[in-house]
Amino acid sequence: MDLLSWGEIILRILGQFTPVWIALIVTFALSITLKRRLGLYGKLFDSPIGMVGFGLVMFWVFTGILGGGFDMITTHDVLDQSASMKNKVPGTPYTKMMGEAAEGAYPYYLLGGDNLGRDVFSRMVVGAWEVIKIAPFASLFAFMVGITLGLPAGYYGGRLDTFLSFLANLILAFPVILLFYLLVTPEIVLTGIPVYMAAVLFIFPIVFLVLLWNSRFHTQPKTRNIYVGLTLVIGLWLYSGIAWNADPLGLIGFPPNLLVVFVAVVFVNSPTVFRIVRGLTMDIKTRDYVAAAQTRGEGPWYIMLWEILPNVRGPLLVDFCLRIGYTTILLGTLGFFGLGLSPESPDWGSTINEGRKLLSLYLHPALPPALALLSLVLGLNLLADGLREESLRD
């Protein structure tokens, strides 16, 4: 077989992404059709910038899920090495051994081979899955921590606010990259500190949901007990598996490297979220509708969670999108330094670092993951701009 031309490479890559194109078309069609019923999300489709950002983000989300989760896009196993494919240029016919074609395998390395003879295209696709598994959920956990502590700090003020603000400022006093770097170094991991941090940080989502249900349904004990009971049973089951790797059913567990990175992301981002929520709460608590809720005799947590929090959703959604972008960059930085995830991981940072070593000779191993990282972060920033624009109109 001959080397593919760039036109053939592009057509084949577009063909491999067919499941993603279908998913994007269905998502956009349904969203645009129902946008008047979808609140702020629906209004996003009135913003060209927001739509472009949403499209870029969802492209990589679908790529990660369909490619990394369901293996519908990749052409080769990301760990499969071929001695004859080391640093081969894009479009090179695939051979397992020198001059010997592999039967049943995809016939080309569409974006070439890396320094170990692995398929760059497949590693780029699965690298999206590594990002999708960590960045959004770690950011969500950080928001749970920041909201749970920021609301009472801003609402009550006083010594509680002083104490929590001091802790947040203490963490923020460290440069983010340095703090992130320290938390994932092997020496710190061996002390067990990340596990204890996970035990503290991962309890906050359960606390948040229990407070949410209890404040909303405190006048309906039966409904409240059902919601709180389900939250405690499911939440503590997940908590035992994720934080302590002690799931009694053996279904939930975090690989140690992934847990360390996850904890580091939550810990680094929580203080910033806390300060944002605290500041917004201090502003909103003086509004008339808060005074009206207090006059009705509503409890403090009901006011915080059901009066104040919904009215600051716009800024928080914008910050959430931006924070996922920051987290993606941090994950890439960790991978670039060879920290956090396992060495053979196809995450974009590790792939860029491996390709960097031969950058003066071969561009193709480092360029695709770098462009993927750039486009995802760009999409998140554009999505945040679109959300900000529409939330101001709301």
Side-chain angles (χ1 to χ4, degrees):
M1 291 185 290
D2 297 326
L3 193 71
L4 294 177
S5 67
W6 274 107
E8 292 173 317
I9 292 172
I10 292 171
L11 287 176
R12 283 177 176 263
I13 290 176
L14 292 175
Q16 287 299 122
F17 279 112
T18 297
V20 176
W21 304 132
I22 294 172
L24 281 174
I25 290 170
V26 171
T27 301
F28 269 80
L30 289 175
S31 299
I32 292 173
T33 302
L34 303 173
K35 66 179 180 180
R36 298 307 173 201
R37 306 178 189 176
L38 298 175
L40 182 59
Y41 169 74
K43 292 179 180 179
L44 182 66
F45 291 87
D46 292 328
S47 167
I49 292 177
M51 288 180 67
V52 172
F54 180 76
L56 285 172
V57 171
M58 292 310 298
F59 173 84
W60 288 114
V61 169
F62 288 135
T63 296
I65 294 172
L66 298 175
F70 293 95
D71 198 25
M72 296 173 64
I73 302 173
T74 54
T75 55
H76 297 86
D77 189 291
V78 295
L79 299 179
D80 184 44
Q81 301 179 19
S82 171
S84 63
M85 297 301 292
K86 291 184 179 180
N87 296 316
K88 291 296 184 181
V89 298
T92 301
Y94 173 64
T95 54
K96 187 65 178 176
M97 300 297 293
M98 193 66 67
E100 182 181 327
E103 294 184 5
Y106 192 83
Y108 296 95
Y109 269 14
L110 294 176
L111 292 177
D114 65 7
N115 62 323
L116 294 178
R118 298 171 298 190
D119 181 32
V120 172
F121 172 76
S122 296
R123 290 180 68 79
M124 178 192 71
V125 169
V126 178
W129 179 235
E130 299 298 323
V131 173
I132 297 304
K133 283 193 300 186
I134 301 175
F137 295 106
S139 299
L140 182 61
F141 271 61
F143 264 73
M144 292 286 190
V145 176
I147 289 171
T148 306
L149 297 178
L151 284 172
Y155 186 79
Y156 288 113
R159 293 182 179 179
L160 177 65
D161 181 27
T162 302
F163 175 70
L164 293 176
S165 296
F166 172 76
L167 291 181
N169 291 332
L170 190 64
I171 297 171
L172 292 172
F174 286 88
V176 173
I177 296 296
L178 177 60
L179 182 60
F180 207 71
Y181 182 89
L182 288 174
L183 287 173
V184 299
T185 51
E187 293 77 13
I188 297 295
V189 173
L190 289 175
T191 65
I193 290 175
V195 176
Y196 297 116
M197 290 174 63
V200 174
L201 294 172
F202 291 177
I203 202 71
F204 276 92
I206 300 174
V207 173
F208 174 83
L209 290 173
V210 168
L211 290 170
L212 189 73
W213 305 135
N214 187 63
S215 61
R216 178 65 178 84
F217 299 109
H218 66 280
T219 59
Q220 306 171 45
K222 291 184 179 179
T223 304
R224 178 195 62 190
N225 293 341
I226 292 173
Y227 278 94
V228 171
L230 287 173
T231 299
L232 289 175
V233 170
I234 297 174
L236 291 175
W237 169 51
L238 295 173
Y239 173 77
S240 64
I242 294 174
W244 296 105
N245 196 25
D247 174 20
L249 301 179
L251 300 175
I252 304 297
F254 255 34
N257 287 340
L258 185 59
L259 178 66
V260 170
V261 173
F262 204 91
V263 168
V265 172
V266 175
F267 183 73
V268 167
N269 283 302
S270 296
T272 308
V273 178
F274 164 83
R275 293 184 66 178
I276 292 171
V277 173
R278 171 185 172 271
L280 291 169
T281 303
M282 293 178 70
D283 175 45
I284 295 292
K285 73 177 183 179
T286 60
R287 303 291 174 87
D288 291 340
Y289 52 81
V290 174
Q294 291 169 339
T295 304
R296 293 197 309 268
E298 302 291 358
W301 277 104
Y302 178 90
I303 294 172
M304 284 185 273
L305 292 170
W306 295 97
E307 296 288 346
I308 295 175
L309 187 59
N311 285 286
V312 298
R313 70 184 187 280
L316 291 182
L317 284 172
V318 171
D319 186 74
F320 182 70
C321 291
L322 293 174
R323 201 153 301 281
I324 294 174
Y326 301 152
T327 302
T328 302
I329 294 172
L330 285 173
L331 293 174
T333 303
L334 274 185
F336 188 82
F337 287 119
L339 296 169
L341 300 177
S342 57
E344 69 275 6
S345 170
D347 67 281
W348 292 335
S350 300
T351 309
I352 293 169
N353 183 44
E354 292 173 1
R356 170 189 62 86
K357 300 170 185 177
L358 297 171
L359 202 56
S360 60
L361 299 174
Y362 307 103
L363 285 175
H364 64 272
L367 198 56
L371 292 176
L373 179 61
L374 182 150
S375 62
L376 176 57
V377 175
L378 174 63
L380 287 164
N381 289 336
L382 293 176
L383 178 58
D385 287 341
L387 286 172
R388 183 188 298 114
E389 179 183 318
E390 295 305 319
S391 64
L392 290 174
R393 295 177 183 175
D394 194 9

